[in-house]
Amino acid sequence: MNTKSALYPRKSVLIMLLAPGVILYAGIAFFPIINALGLSFFKWSGGIERSFTGLDNYKFLFSDPLFWGALKNNLLIGLISIVGQVGIALILATLFTTRDIRFKGFHRSVIFFPVVLAAIIIGFIWTMVYSREYGLLNFILRGVKLDSLIKPWLDDPKIVIYSVCAPIVWQYIGYYMVIIASGITAIPREIFESADLDAAVGWRKLVYIVYPLVKNTIIVCVMMCISGSMKIFTHILIMTSGGPGNSSMVMAMYAYRNSFVKYKLGYGSAASIGILLISMLIIMGSRSIMRSKNEEQF
């Protein structure tokens, strides 16, 4: 028996083994995109008849101020998520890789627990937290005699977008903490021991030792954070549905309303393709900027 042929199967065998998974993935991921791209050139309300409109859907999409307002909200959520999720996760991961913290496993489990919850559950929980009459947040403010800070957190157009960011940040801190902690544990212990001898502790240790050595991991986390912020939907749907008015509208909510509330399925498909293209441009642009800065420093 040829040992080499046993270790390295023929290409035909590999194709046969990989084909079912590739076909399934293509059917789930690529076919809906292609189908949406085709529908985006039509005016269609879900019935039998549909009329070809060419690029009219895209012209209206990119001239609609509501869509650009939704994009602005997505970018704001992304910025807050990067600072809140990745920033706090970096600090926590650094703390949990030191010797001074006790019950590390318990603390990690508690912080990671929200990640395993569905976004719809998080939305319902924080809707109750934000309730003006019986919500936990306003109850605490009343208890500490800060009635002046009590607000309709989900009904004020000026603060609603910041209110919905809190549960998004809170839910995924543990996710990025685990990723960054795995990168920190890969750092040789000798480096930390040398840092302790040089009195590089606390913020010095974080800024001058941990951050430079896990920078590539942080870049990956930032890219994932941006990607998640561009497609945020369920939290907004449960907590505000894009309101009050359109003050918390995001791009996915915009496409959902046009497709399944107004039954403008052709225009909703154009909105979905527009979201895909804009998200890809933002992610690729952010990645190239961060990569170039990282290479300049080295």
Side-chain angles (χ1 to χ4, degrees):
M1 182 177 178
N2 193 344
T3 306
K4 185 176 180 180
S5 61
L7 293 175
Y8 301 98
R10 294 181 179 178
K11 291 183 179 180
S12 59
V13 177
L14 292 176
I15 293 173
M16 291 177 59
L17 293 173
L18 294 174
V22 172
I23 293 172
L24 180 62
Y25 179 79
I28 295 174
F30 293 111
F31 176 74
I33 296 175
I34 296 172
N35 188 41
L37 180 62
L39 290 176
S40 67
F41 299 107
F42 291 86
K43 180 180 180 181
W44 184 47
S45 60
I48 299 176
E49 297 182 356
R50 63 177 74 174
S51 58
F52 182 76
T53 58
L55 296 175
D56 289 350
N57 286 331
Y58 291 99
K59 292 178 182 178
F60 183 79
L61 174 69
F62 292 115
S63 63
D64 187 3
L66 180 57
F67 176 76
W68 294 110
L71 173 60
K72 180 181 176 182
N73 286 337
N74 277 102
L75 294 175
L76 180 59
I77 292 172
L79 179 61
I80 295 174
S81 297
I82 291 171
V83 176
Q85 293 174 357
V86 181
I88 297 175
L90 175 61
I91 296 172
L92 292 175
T94 305
L95 287 174
F96 291 144
T97 52
T98 60
R99 301 176 182 178
D100 300 329
I101 303 298
R102 296 183 178 181
F103 308 109
K104 296 179 183 178
F106 173 76
H107 294 305
R108 287 175 180 172
S109 299
V110 170
I111 296 172
F112 188 79
F113 178 72
V115 179
V116 303
L117 297 178
I120 189 171
I121 298 175
I122 300 296
F124 276 123
I125 291 173
W126 279 80
T127 300
M128 293 186 288
V129 170
Y130 282 135
S131 174
R132 183 166 188 173
E133 300 299 328
Y134 56 86
L136 177 63
L137 180 55
N138 286 342
F139 175 78
I140 294 174
L141 292 175
R142 290 191 190 97
V144 296
K145 307 302 181 182
L146 294 176
D147 294 44
S148 60
L149 298 179
I150 294 176
K151 299 181 182 296
W153 301 100
L154 296 178
D155 297 319
D156 188 345
K158 296 180 181 179
I159 62 173
V160 64
I161 192 65
Y162 301 100
S163 298
V164 298
C165 284
I168 296 171
V169 171
W170 173 74
Q171 182 175 9
Y172 294 107
I173 288 175
Y175 179 74
Y176 295 109
M177 180 193 70
V178 171
I179 296 176
I180 296 173
S182 65
I184 294 175
T185 54
I187 300 174
R189 301 308 304 175
E190 293 80 4
I191 295 178
F192 290 116
E193 292 173 359
S194 300
D196 294 336
L197 293 174
D198 295 334
V201 295
W203 289 103
R204 291 182 179 179
K205 182 178 180 180
L206 174 62
V207 174
Y208 296 108
I209 297 176
V210 175
Y211 175 72
L213 293 175
V214 297
K215 186 178 291 185
N216 289 329
T217 302
I218 293 174
I219 290 175
V220 173
C221 290
V222 170
M223 293 298 101
M224 294 173 65
C225 193
I226 294 174
S227 176
S229 300
M230 289 296 104
K231 63 180 182 180
I232 199 72
F233 172 72
T234 308
H235 298 84
I236 305 296
L237 176 66
I238 299 301
M239 299 177 69
T240 65
S241 295
N246 296 310
S247 54
S248 62
M249 179 69 66
V250 291
M251 292 190 295
M253 191 73 206
Y254 178 89
Y256 171 81
R257 277 192 182 181
N258 283 283
S259 297
F260 303 111
V261 177
K262 299 179 181 180
Y263 289 101
K264 297 163 62 176
L265 298 177
Y267 181 70
S269 298
S272 300
I273 297 298
I275 293 169
L276 176 64
L277 295 176
I278 291 174
S279 300
M280 289 177 63
L281 289 174
I282 292 173
I283 292 170
M284 289 189 295
S286 302
R287 182 179 179 181
S288 61
I289 292 172
M290 296 185 70
R291 290 290 185 185
S292 62
K293 289 185 177 180
N294 190 25
E295 290 175 358
E296 288 176 2
Q297 292 180 358
F298 289 96

